[in-house]
Each structure stands twice: as structure tokens, then as C-alpha cells.
């Protein structure tokens, strides 16, 4: 029976979150934690899903109900990706899917990775040649179907890998060749709901559009400068720009006392710069360091009640791990 295993990395927003939802650019890198999707065609007219990473054991649905009726939230990225693929390519078959990988708790983009892996796995099973942009478009559509909001940066990271300069809906997806970027990642222990944070900024926008637009313009300007600093390896400048980005995020109201505490601690311990990463409210902070700063910055995170996440960054995007014809 035809079977394939596909993997894709998680991501970390370096600069430009929230503003990217309003048409400004952001910079995202990938982390060395991968989601895996194994998919196999089956003779039965059903879709089966086992996703131990989100405690789904034996989820099954008849093919004509895919994307309909009640969908457990944790199964929705796979199921909607399947529906979108079948609709686009006017094909259908029973399929068994198993997902595994890193915890969704850290906000490192497990859902987007799973959506992208599902699309790519199906393209292998049905022998349909999809370009990275086509995989992106279908994965992004899936994310919007599930959560209605999002810039698509997480899907782009999962698919293209490396470090990207990115704009809304994937209008620009520019890989950046970088060397020597050293980050320490600190998890706040608080899981964030991205959509609530995006809605919070939407409310801010309603209450004072001019002011929020100005903040986004300032963020856009620093992201453009940060791209150059990143390409040149000018870490001091990049750190300064990350600190400014954090101030703007605080103005938007998406930081939290815990995040601020961790950020202050890492700055005091010598990091070039630090900021929250992603939607805010919780999840992770990212600190820019050199190799010899790493230990003291990690201790600072732990001292502020955070947890360090040990992972490489700037890693390859989606790939087929194994295929049986
Ligand atoms: O919470 P995360 O890591 O998925 O990041 C969200 C980043 C936002 O800019 C707030 C939303 C988006 O989709 O770009």
C-alpha cells in the first residue's frame, strides 16, 4: 500500500509580528523541531487520524463527511487540509494519517507544520507535482479555514525552511542567507491563543487606528533595517532593533508581566537584544546572543521563572522522509 512520511520544522518569529497581519514585513526563522505526518492510502472509504502529540487516538470519518459535522479542534488542521486537497485536485480516497512531533504548547508552529506536511504527503500519494508555492497556498488556506486569522508566515517557514523575509499571504517569501545567528529561546510557561491576541490588536486598531498604523509603520521600518543587519551579521544593531520592536509590541498591549520580566533579565545578563516572539501574551521570548553569552542568558531566563528551549535554528524546510510506492 502506498505510504509516505513527510516532516517540516517549527518556527520562531524574529521581528514584525502583528504588523505582518496588516501588510508590513516580518522576519521568521525555523527551529530544529519537526512535525511528522505519515499518510497511507487505504481501501476503506474513510479518513482515519492518530495524533499522539495532541491525544487523538482513533478519529475516523466517512469520506463524504470530511470537513463537515463536528471536527475536534486538534484534528482540524489535518482534516481541512485533506478536504482542501481533495477539492482542488478533484480526487478522493480512503487515507490513514498519523502525526507526531513537538508539543503545541510552546507556540512554535506545530499546526502550520502539520497542515503543510499533510498537503505534501497527499501530493506524494496521488503523484501530483506541487511547487512550494502551491503547497503554501493550500496550507495557508487550511489555516484560514481553521482559525480565520493569520499572515501565513508559519506555513511559509514550515515549507521553505531557513530564515525568511515575509509579507502577508506570501506575497513576498524571500529566503535570507545568514551565518552565525545565535538565539536563546525562553518559554514563559503560558500557552497563548494566537487568535485572541490578533483580535486584541484588532480592537486597538478600532479604538485608535492612526496610532496603531504608526506603530506598524515603525515596526516595518525596523524590520527592513534588521534584514540588512541580519545579512551583514551586525548583531549589535540587530539587538537594538529587537529591543525597539519589543517596545512597540508593549505599546500594542501584547506583552505580559512575565514576558517583560524574562526580557529584562536576559538584557541585564548581556544579551544584545530581546523580545517576545509570536502573538505575545505568553509563549516564548527570543534573545540575541553570542556563544559565550549563552550560559548566563539561559540562567537569567530560568531565574525569571522561564524555561529554556534548546534547539537549533535556520533549518531546512519540508521534506519527504520515506516513501513506499
Ligand atoms: O503566535 P504565533 O507564534 O503563531 O505568532 C503569531 C504572529 C502574528 O503576527 C500575531 C499572527 C500572524 O499570523 O502573523
Amino acid at each position: 500500500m502506498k505510504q509516505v512520511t513527510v516532516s517540516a520544522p517549527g518556527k520562531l518569529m524574529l521581528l514584525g509580528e502583528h504588523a505582518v497581519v496588516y501588510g508590513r514585513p516580518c522576519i521568521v526563522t525555523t527551529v530544529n523541531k519537526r512535525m511528522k505526518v505519515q499518510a497511507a492510502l487505504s481501501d476503506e472509504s474513510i479518513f482515519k487520524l492518530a495524533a499522539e502529540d495532541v491525544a487523538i487516538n482513533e478519529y475516523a470519518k466517512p469520506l463524504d463527511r470530511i470537513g463537515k459535522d463536528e471536527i475536534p479542534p486538534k484534528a482540524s488542521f489535518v482534516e481541512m487540509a485533506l478536504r482542501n486537497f481533495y477539492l482542488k485536485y478533484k480526487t478522493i480516497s480512503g487515507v490513514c494519517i498519523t502525526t507526531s512531533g513537538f508539543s503545541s504548547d510552546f507556540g512554535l508552529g506545530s499546526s502550520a507544520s502539520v497542515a503543510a506536511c499533510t498537503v505534501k504527503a497527499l501530493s506524494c500519494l496521488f503523484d501530483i507535482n506541487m511547487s512550494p508555492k502551491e503547497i503554501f497556498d493550500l496550507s495557508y488556506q487550511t489555516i484560514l479555514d481553521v482559525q480565520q486569522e493569520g499572515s501565513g508566515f508559519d506555513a511559509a517557514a514550515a515549507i521553505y525552511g531557513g530564515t525568511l523575509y515575509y509579507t502577508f499571504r506570501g506575497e513576498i517569501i524571500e529566503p535570507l542567507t545568514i551565518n552565525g545567528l545565535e538565539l536563546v529561546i525562553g518559554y514563559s510557561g503560558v500557552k497563548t491563543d494566537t487568535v485572541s491576541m490578533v483580535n486584541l490588536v484588532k480592537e486597538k486598531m478600532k479604538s485608535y487606528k492612526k496610532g496603531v498604523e504608526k506603530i506598524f509603520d515603525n515596526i516595518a521600518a525596523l524590520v527592513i533595517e534588521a534584514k540588512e543587519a541580519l545579512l551583514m551579521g551586525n548583531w549589535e544593531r540587530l539587538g537594538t532593533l529587537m529591543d525597539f520592536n519589543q517596545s512597540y509590541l508593549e505599546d500594542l498591549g501584547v506583552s505580559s508581566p512575565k514576558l517583560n520580566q524574562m526580557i529584562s533579565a536576559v538584557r541585564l545578563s548581556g544579551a544584545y537584544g530581546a523580545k517576545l516572539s509570536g502573538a505575545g501574551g505568553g509563549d516564548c521570548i527570543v534573545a540575541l546572543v553570542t556563544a559565550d553569552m549563552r550560559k548566563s542568558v539561559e540562567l537569567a531566563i530560568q531565574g525569571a521563572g522561564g524555561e529554556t528551549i534548546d534547539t537549533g535554528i535556520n533549518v531546512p524546510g519540508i521534506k519527504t522522509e520515506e516513501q513506499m510506492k
Side-chain angles (χ1 to χ4, degrees):
M1 198 46 93
K2 250 183 161 181
Q3 182 175 310
V4 65
T5 305
V6 172
S7 80
K11 54 77 191 145
L12 199 60
M13 182 69 99
L14 282 183
L15 300 123
E17 48 274 89
H18 288 291
V20 67
V21 179
Y22 294 84
R24 276 64 166 196
C26 72
I27 298 175
V28 55
T29 193
T30 38
V31 296
N32 199 13
K33 290 189 182 290
R34 302 183 78 86
M35 293 306 295
K36 263 192 191 170
V37 168
Q38 187 193 66
L41 292 180
S42 117
D43 293 335
E44 290 178 286
S45 286
I46 49 175
F47 150 55
K48 280 191 191 162
L49 174 66
E52 59 177 34
D53 48 303
V54 287
I56 289 184
N57 296 318
E58 284 180 20
Y59 179 66
K61 229 171 188 183
L63 292 183
D64 60 353
R65 302 314 301 163
I66 288 174
K68 300 179 184 142
D69 310 329
E70 202 182 317
I71 306 177
K74 309 271 187 198
S76 53
F77 288 92
V78 172
E79 184 165 335
M80 294 311 280
L82 191 59
R83 183 200 68 161
N84 288 340
F85 184 90
Y86 283 168
L87 278 178
K88 181 169 167 67
Y89 293 104
K90 302 189 179 24
T91 179
I92 200 154
S93 162
V95 63
C96 295
I97 294 183
T98 308
T99 71
S100 58
F102 56 90
S103 162
S104 59
D105 287 351
F106 305 124
L108 293 176
S110 54
S111 307
S113 282
V114 160
C117 286
T118 305
V119 171
K120 182 162 172 73
L122 292 168
S123 77
C124 296
L125 290 181
F126 290 93
D127 291 318
I128 293 170
N129 197 2
M130 291 178 80
S131 68
K133 188 62 170 46
E134 285 170 326
I135 299 175
F136 170 82
D137 288 339
L138 219 52
S139 308
Y140 181 40
Q141 182 57 51
T142 300
I143 292 167
L144 289 181
D145 289 343
V146 175
Q147 61 183 37
Q148 281 77 48
E149 302 286 349
S151 65
F153 81 107
D154 41 7
I159 294 160
Y160 292 82
T163 300
L164 305 171
Y165 178 83
Y166 178 88
T167 60
F168 192 53
R169 296 200 185 112
E171 271 161 27
I172 301 174
I173 303 176
E174 183 186 339
L176 303 177
T177 305
I178 59 166
N179 283 304
L181 178 68
E182 291 262 353
L183 301 175
V184 173
I185 303 162
Y187 177 55
S188 64
V190 179
K191 166 113 189 80
T192 294
D193 173 30
T194 301
V195 175
S196 320
M197 299 309 288
V198 169
N199 286 336
L200 192 145
V201 173
K202 207 184 271 176
E203 288 308 310
K204 273 245 146 131
M205 188 65 132
K206 275 188 205 152
S207 65
Y208 186 37
K209 186 164 187 299
K210 246 186 179 171
V212 174
E213 289 285 0
K214 192 91 206 138
I215 293 175
F216 288 158
D217 286 341
N218 290 340
I219 292 176
L222 73 78
V223 167
I224 290 166
E225 194 185 330
K227 179 181 156 193
E228 294 314 312
L230 195 54
L231 291 170
M232 306 279 288
N234 188 346
W235 308 132
E236 230 161 288
R237 187 66 189 152
L238 184 61
T240 302
L241 295 168
M242 286 169 70
D243 286 346
F244 272 97
N245 196 163
Q246 172 63 21
S247 305
Y248 293 130
L249 290 165
E250 285 170 27
D251 293 344
L252 288 173
V254 298
S255 201
S256 74
K258 180 73 181 279
L259 292 169
N260 292 348
Q261 215 177 330
M262 290 165 68
I263 289 165
S264 303
V266 298
R267 285 180 184 157
L268 279 173
S269 74
Y272 282 132
K275 59 182 280 296
L276 66 84
S277 172
D283 286 348
C284 291
I285 68 153
V286 58
L288 182 65
V289 299
T290 53
D292 53 338
M293 288 175 196
R294 181 171 287 280
K295 195 75 229 159
S296 60
V297 170
E298 284 174 353
L299 288 173
I301 286 173
Q302 287 149 16
E307 185 189 324
T308 49
I309 299 180
D310 190 18
T311 178
I313 53 163
N314 197 31
V315 300
I318 200 162
K319 62 179 178 215
T320 304
E321 300 278 349
E322 204 177 31
Q323 189 158 11
M324 280 189 276
K325 289 274 177 191

